[in-house]
């Protein structure tokens, strides 16, 4: 057999089934909390596409969705905190209860910047749902996940939307990338 993406994975952290259960749990909590709200899910491209597609089907309420793309410059495994909007929302979010859907909350720089931008547009509320939380690496302490699928250790993880240099997003599980892959 030739090379497969799986060869670059040190350990599997969450299997497909574990991810399914995690998303179902998040969906249930959100369904309870947003019963009488005007819910708008804002997916931050591209890492959150898979969680977004799965999570929205686990929320048993009327809701709307929109997408935003940002880029953060820095080296490949850490974000620099300089965030640029690549694609803005299509919607006027005034009066909406925004729930930002992210793949992973790391330094918090990306979300800190986004929360400021979105708050200035007069939504009714803004909260954060992240699949993974890496609190050990937080630089912006005020940024906290209102919903988190799991707390993960300070290792670089890929799969289920999460990338390394845009690859590995299509792995159906979440795994720890071998250090030799990014130290090359
Ligand atoms: P923050 O601004 O440092 O919180 O960066 C969050 C972004 O960094 C995420 O949306 C990911 O794109 C990326 N990121 C942080 N940690 C990881 C990881 O372990 N694997 C893949 N991407 C990561
Ligand atoms: Mg990324």
């Amino acid at each position: 057999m030739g090379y497969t993406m799986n060869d670059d994975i040190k350990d599997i952290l969450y299997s497909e089934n574990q991810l399914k259960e995690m998303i179902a749990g998040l969906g249930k909590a959100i369904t309870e909390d947003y019963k009488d709200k005007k819910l708008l899910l804002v997916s931050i491209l591209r890492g959150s596409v898979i969680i977004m597609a799965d999570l929205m089907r686990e929320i048993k309420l009327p809701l709307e969705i929109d997408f935003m793309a940002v880029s953060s410059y820095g080296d490949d495994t850490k974000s620099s905190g300089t965030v640029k909007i690549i694609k803005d929302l299509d919607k006027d979010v005034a009066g909406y209860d925004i729930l930002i859907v992210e793949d992973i909350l790391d330094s918090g720089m990306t979300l800190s910047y986004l929360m400021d931008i979105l708050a200035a547009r007069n939504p009714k509320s803004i909260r954060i749902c992240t699949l993974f939380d890496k609190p050990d690496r937080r630089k912006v302490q005020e940024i906290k996940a209102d919903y988190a699928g799991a707390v993960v250790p300070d290792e670089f993880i890929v799969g289920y939307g999460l990338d390394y240099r845009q690859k590995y997003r299509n792995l159906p599980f979440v795994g720890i990338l071998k250090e030799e892959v990014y130290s090359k």
Side-chain angles (χ1 to χ4, degrees), residues 22-39:
M22 203 185 276
I23 300 289
L26 290 171
K28 197 160 175 266
I30 295 164
T31 302
E32 276 161 24
D33 295 350
Y34 282 82
K35 284 216 161 72
D36 300 305
K37 306 245 158 86
K38 198 178 172 189
L39 178 56

Side-chain angles (χ1 to χ4, degrees), residues 4-175:
T4 72
M5 283 188 293
N6 296 37
D7 298 337
D8 296 337
I9 303 302
K10 187 162 76 179
D11 276 313
I12 294 183
L13 264 190
Y14 295 100
S15 68
E16 270 188 86
N17 275 334
Q18 287 172 315
L19 288 165
K20 200 170 171 6
E21 273 174 35
M22 203 185 276
I23 300 289
L26 290 171
K28 197 160 175 266
I30 295 164
T31 302
E32 276 161 24
D33 295 350
Y34 282 82
K35 284 216 161 72
D36 300 305
K37 306 245 158 86
K38 198 178 172 189
L39 178 56
L40 175 68
L41 297 179
V42 170
S43 162
I44 311 304
L45 297 170
R46 290 170 279 233
S48 73
V49 282
I50 300 184
I51 169 184
M52 181 74 164
D54 286 347
L55 178 66
M56 62 192 276
R57 286 175 289 179
E58 295 291 345
I59 302 173
K60 314 296 180 190
L61 295 172
L63 57 78
E64 295 175 50
I65 63 171
D66 205 345
F67 297 86
M68 206 164 175
V70 296
S71 81
S72 105
Y73 299 101
D75 68 44
D76 296 310
T77 58
K78 288 181 196 76
S79 94
S80 65
T82 317
V83 179
K84 192 174 140 200
I85 295 185
I86 307 289
K87 182 221 170 288
D88 205 339
L89 297 174
D90 293 331
K91 273 204 104 55
D92 174 1
V93 299
Y96 277 91
D97 292 292
I98 297 178
L99 184 60
I100 297 176
V101 180
E102 250 291 37
D103 53 357
I104 186 164
L105 178 53
D106 188 23
S107 70
M109 308 266 222
T110 309
L111 282 182
S112 163
Y113 175 85
L114 268 176
M115 297 276 281
D116 287 349
I117 291 180
L118 294 178
R121 298 178 184 179
N122 301 312
K124 191 148 179 250
S125 65
I126 311 181
R127 297 175 93 189
I128 297 170
C129 174
T130 186
L131 182 59
F132 297 116
D133 192 3
K134 257 191 204 173
D136 290 352
R137 288 172 36 90
R138 197 78 84 250
K139 289 202 189 108
V140 190
Q141 299 303 330
E142 313 83 79
I143 298 295
K144 292 198 170 68
D146 298 288
Y147 304 92
V151 169
V152 289
D154 184 8
E155 302 224 47
F156 200 78
I157 59 176
V158 293
Y160 197 76
L162 289 142
D163 74 303
Y164 172 64
R165 293 193 171 169
Q166 303 305 328
K167 301 268 166 50
Y168 307 99
R169 294 192 197 276
N170 57 327
L171 287 174
F173 55 84
V174 170

